[in-house]
Amino acid sequence: AVLLTVGIIVVLLAGLDGLPGAVKAQIAAERKSFTAAQSQVQSAQADVSRTLASESTLFRALPSAREYPDRLGRAAGSLASAGESVAELERLEKQNRRSDRDRAEALLAREKQVRAAAVADAESVRTDAAHWVDLKQHLPREVQDMERDYAGVHAVDLAAAAAAVQKAEADWPAKKSDLEARLATARGIQVRSDELWQSTTEARRAAAANDYSKVDFGTLFAAADTLKTGAADLPKQAGELKTL
């Protein structure tokens, strides 16, 4: 009976000296999450590689696409760093010492953060690549959107804003330079939209006809983004000028 009692006490004390069960559960869960993250990053790398190969003409024209390999490489490197933390956690789990609790919890927090960031980076590249492919597949619609945004830029009546600025400058000369700068910025949006509209005439015509060989995708998409931004910003700027 004495031996049995001593044995029970020894077992209980041994359990008290080990890593807490909650920490062990987190390590097990993180091991699974890390394995899933590896698969996800590898899948993103494979998808982007296939997309780049199948749409080489498109992505050669896009400056952002040149960064894809480096971005994916950094994501893989970050995930490898998270893997080192997982390996360290497994060593602590095997040693099973309560004194390693703080170290284990710190490693868990770091590993989760690095793993999540790596997956997010890889998925961001995959999403970006898919976005450009989708734009290419809907080129005629993209041209229609450009026409709408260009019309929206020129639908803003800056003459009314200019008249309000002129009156304000007479009433409050100290604000003349600020108001003139704001008006010049607004006018610049319309001037820039005209330049982009003229410079993309041939690309828009080819895009509307799905004649990919004559489309400068990088220039066309950049112009489309600028027109979209201008169509959204110019009415706000004109309104702010009148309010000021």
Side-chain angles (χ1 to χ4, degrees), residues 121-137:
D121 289 343
E123 288 297 340
S124 176
V125 175
R126 174 154 52 184
T127 300
D128 194 61
H131 166 70
W132 291 118
V133 172
D134 181 67
L135 285 179
K136 177 186 173 182
Q137 292 173 346

Side-chain angles (χ1 to χ4, degrees), residues 72-133:
L72 289 170
R74 287 195 296 270
S78 295
L79 195 61
S81 177
E84 294 175 359
S85 295
V86 171
E88 176 65 15
L89 284 166
E90 290 176 339
R91 284 193 291 272
L92 295 180
E93 184 180 29
K94 289 179 181 178
Q95 292 170 356
N96 195 30
R97 296 183 304 224
R98 178 167 287 272
S99 59
D100 288 331
R101 174 178 180 171
D102 290 345
R103 171 64 176 162
E105 290 178 341
L107 281 169
L108 280 166
R110 177 184 177 278
E111 193 278 335
K112 289 178 182 178
Q113 182 179 15
V114 174
R115 170 181 56 76
V119 170
D121 289 343
E123 288 297 340
S124 176
V125 175
R126 174 154 52 184
T127 300
D128 194 61
H131 166 70
W132 291 118
V133 172

Side-chain angles (χ1 to χ4, degrees), residues 171-182:
D171 294 340
W172 198 356
K175 288 297 179 181
K176 180 176 180 178
S177 59
D178 178 59
L179 292 171
E180 287 289 347
R182 292 172 182 270

Side-chain angles (χ1 to χ4, degrees), residues 117-202:
V119 170
D121 289 343
E123 288 297 340
S124 176
V125 175
R126 174 154 52 184
T127 300
D128 194 61
H131 166 70
W132 291 118
V133 172
D134 181 67
L135 285 179
K136 177 186 173 182
Q137 292 173 346
H138 299 89
L139 273 178
R141 187 189 67 191
E142 185 71 10
V143 172
Q144 292 175 358
D145 289 345
M146 290 180 69
E147 293 174 352
R148 180 202 62 210
D149 292 332
Y150 177 74
V153 168
H154 286 276
V156 178
D157 182 13
L158 287 182
V165 166
Q166 187 175 11
K167 183 178 185 304
E169 290 174 351
D171 294 340
W172 198 356
K175 288 297 179 181
K176 180 176 180 178
S177 59
D178 178 59
L179 292 171
E180 287 289 347
R182 292 172 182 270
L183 182 59
T185 299
R187 285 173 170 162
I189 292 176
Q190 288 189 334
V191 171
R192 181 58 176 156
S193 70
D194 286 334
E195 294 172 350
L196 291 173
W197 190 253
Q198 295 300 323
S199 66
T200 58
T201 298
E202 292 302 320

Side-chain angles (χ1 to χ4, degrees), residues 45 48 52 64-76 125:
Q45 289 175 315
V48 172
L52 291 177
S64 63
R66 298 168 196 157
E67 300 176 3
Y68 288 172
D70 286 343
R71 291 174 62 187
L72 289 170
R74 287 195 296 270
V125 175

